Amino acid sequence: MWRVDHIEPSPEMLALRANGPIHRVRFPSGGEGWWVTGYDEAKAVLSDAAFRPSGMPPAEFTPATVILGSPGWLGSHEGSEHARLRTIVAPAFSCGRVKLLAQQVEAIAAELFETLAAQSQPADLRRHLSFPLPAMVISALMGVLYEDHAFFAGLSDKVMTHQHESGPRSAARLAWEELRAYIRGKMRDKRQDPGDNLLTDLLAAVDQGKATEEEAIGLAAGMLVAGHETTVTQIEFGLLSMFRHPQQRERLVGDPSLVDKAVEEILRMYPPGAGWDGIMRYPKTDVTIAGMDIPAESKVLVGLPATSFDPCHFDDPEIFDIGREEKPHLAFSHGPHYCIGVELARLELRVVFGSIFQHFPALRLAVAPEELKLRKEIITGGFEAFPVLW
């Protein structure tokens, strides 16, 4: 089910999706389950309390990453416990808070554009833009030093590795514990040096009895990982999509007001990931989806990227169209576990795609697309490097 040319949907996925909204499949990690590819069916599963979230699998199942099941990771909680923890971090990612960050994000992007322009060509856009932008933003929001980014990014990669593809879980587990220890130390530093940041908010939540220290650490570590990994990849996939569709790129350059729609179309058609992408759910009882009976405790993969190609919801879904009539996609999931950082991610993507081609009108890959090395072992995908010329 690997994507074609790194970002295009696989023919196998499209063929399955065309044959119905749910399918019996065998997963790469072993075992059988169901893959939901219909848009309406996916929304129904994601909003149904009869399904446990990805971080709460049956005892005999091993989660794809060690982060799933860890206390404080939002996907490891459901119901009132999930709502309690989500309420603690939600203000940091609210529309109002993100709007206040807009000028700071724009300033960071402008500085990074200048740094990239000063490099000899070809230059690695991942090193000079797609990685540092979201890493700088999430570092500032959380209250940690950006200078620590190499440390926490290395741990993050190990934590987000597909466990069925990369050997023993011990390395990933050790990385997760090391990342939590780093957050624990930074959070305790906030007692002497508090500020307007997420770590200070989490420390206050612990002091007020709203969360345990372990939950607060898990929340912070999860935000640090999720707050930059997916956006890095989305910037790279978005640029690759514009290189593959030069007419759409020209439309965006000619009419910058299309940037909001362009970002949504990139998210719809080219979300982060590499192959078997989606979110796992586990039914607590026997359920029926689209007429198919599914036993309790089964694996049900909600194929979020596949839902973007459902013709019942999107007209001509296989066409990349930045002027597409806006309809909600599921790139950020749906229901109680809807991505909490959605507004921040959209802001960062709008800033990049709203101005990068004005700064670099001739921006292009320095290698053939097939020479890019996809990080297949990392759940969010992305590339080892993204060499460009301009």
Side-chain angles (χ1 to χ4, degrees):
M1 293 292 178
W2 296 114
R3 299 184 189 184
V4 177
D5 297 328
H6 302 308
I7 61 172
E8 299 292 348
S10 73
E12 296 90 347
M13 183 199 78
L14 293 175
L16 271 180
R17 207 232 58 75
N19 285 332
I22 183 169
H23 315 274
R24 180 77 168 171
V25 294
R26 176 172 290 277
F27 297 112
S29 55
E32 295 185 347
W34 283 263
W35 193 17
V36 179
T37 57
Y39 181 94
D40 290 334
E41 291 76 12
K43 283 186 69 176
V45 171
L46 293 170
S47 58
D48 191 343
F51 291 83
R52 291 192 182 93
S54 56
M56 299 182 69
E60 64 271 23
F61 293 160
T62 300
T65 74
V66 295
I67 200 170
L68 296 174
S70 182
W73 177 255
L74 289 176
S76 303
H77 301 269
E78 63 177 342
S80 60
E81 287 296 290
H82 172 261
R84 172 178 62 85
L85 295 172
R86 189 179 178 99
T87 298
I88 294 170
V89 293
F93 298 94
S94 67
C95 290
R97 191 86 169 260
V98 169
K99 284 181 180 179
L100 294 176
L101 285 172
Q103 287 188 328
Q104 184 177 1
V105 175
E106 290 169 357
I108 291 172
E111 180 180 342
L112 291 173
F113 287 150
E114 289 184 9
T115 300
L116 177 61
Q119 306 304 309
S120 58
Q121 300 186 53
D124 183 6
L125 186 138
R126 180 181 182 86
R127 178 182 178 185
H128 297 292
L129 177 64
S130 64
F131 176 84
L133 175 63
M136 285 181 175
V137 172
I138 197 65
S139 295
L141 189 147
M142 293 194 63
V144 300
L145 296 174
Y146 172 68
E147 287 73 15
D148 293 345
H149 73 278
F151 171 76
F152 67 69
L155 295 178
S156 177
D157 282 350
K158 292 179 182 178
V159 166
M160 295 299 285
T161 297
H162 279 292
Q163 293 306 300
H164 63 271
E165 296 212 355
S166 57
R169 297 179 63 81
S170 56
R173 189 175 293 110
L174 288 172
W176 179 233
E177 291 307 317
E178 192 173 352
L179 185 59
R180 288 174 66 92
Y182 165 79
I183 293 295
R184 182 179 289 107
K186 295 300 179 183
M187 191 178 298
R188 290 174 177 172
D189 289 345
K190 296 304 176 187
R191 291 202 179 277
Q192 284 71 45
D193 185 26
D196 183 16
N197 53 64
L198 183 56
L199 287 185
T200 299
D201 294 347
L202 288 169
L203 187 61
V206 173
D207 291 343
Q208 295 163 13
K210 296 179 180 178
T212 66
E213 183 179 60
E214 288 305 301
E215 287 173 338
I217 290 168
L219 279 168
M223 295 301 122
L224 191 60
V225 170
H228 81 277
E229 282 275 357
T230 53
T231 310
V232 172
T233 301
Q234 193 64 81
I235 291 171
E236 294 168 2
F237 282 11
L239 287 172
L240 197 55
S241 71
M242 288 296 175
F243 297 156
R244 291 180 63 81
H245 302 281
Q247 290 182 333
Q248 298 301 310
R249 171 177 171 169
E250 291 173 7
R251 288 180 70 188
L252 180 59
V253 171
D255 184 1
S257 70
L258 286 171
V259 66
D260 286 349
K261 288 187 174 182
V263 165
E264 295 309 309
E265 184 68 344
I266 289 169
L267 287 163
R268 180 192 74 85
M269 196 160 176
Y270 301 118
W276 284 86
D277 307 319
I279 297 178
M280 198 68 78
R281 290 290 184 265
Y282 306 98
K284 302 174 187 178
T285 61
D286 295 350
V287 296
T288 300
I289 303 175
M292 188 170 289
D293 295 329
I294 299 174
E297 310 298 320
S298 298
K299 290 183 178 180
V300 178
L301 180 66
V302 183
L304 301 183
T307 66
S308 291
F309 297 91
D310 187 339
C312 294
H313 190 74
F314 299 100
D315 295 331
D316 300 316
E318 294 176 44
I319 295 176
F320 182 67
D321 177 10
I322 67 168
R324 179 181 295 277
E325 177 186 350
E326 291 188 49
K327 287 187 176 181
H329 52 72
L330 300 180
F332 293 110
S333 191
H334 181 74
H337 290 270
Y338 184 67
C339 175
I340 200 165
V342 56
E343 295 302 327
L344 182 61
R346 282 182 165 130
L347 169 62
E348 293 172 355
L349 294 171
R350 284 198 302 269
V351 168
V352 170
F353 291 100
S355 57
I356 191 168
F357 296 121
Q358 281 70 32
H359 286 83
F360 303 96
L363 186 67
R364 62 198 185 278
L365 281 176
V367 298
E370 58 268 22
E371 293 182 40
L372 294 173
K373 294 182 179 180
L374 185 67
R375 305 194 313 163
K376 284 188 175 183
E377 76 282 2
I378 307 296
I379 285 177
T380 50
F383 301 101
E384 296 291 344
F386 201 83
V388 294
L389 299 166
W390 57 90

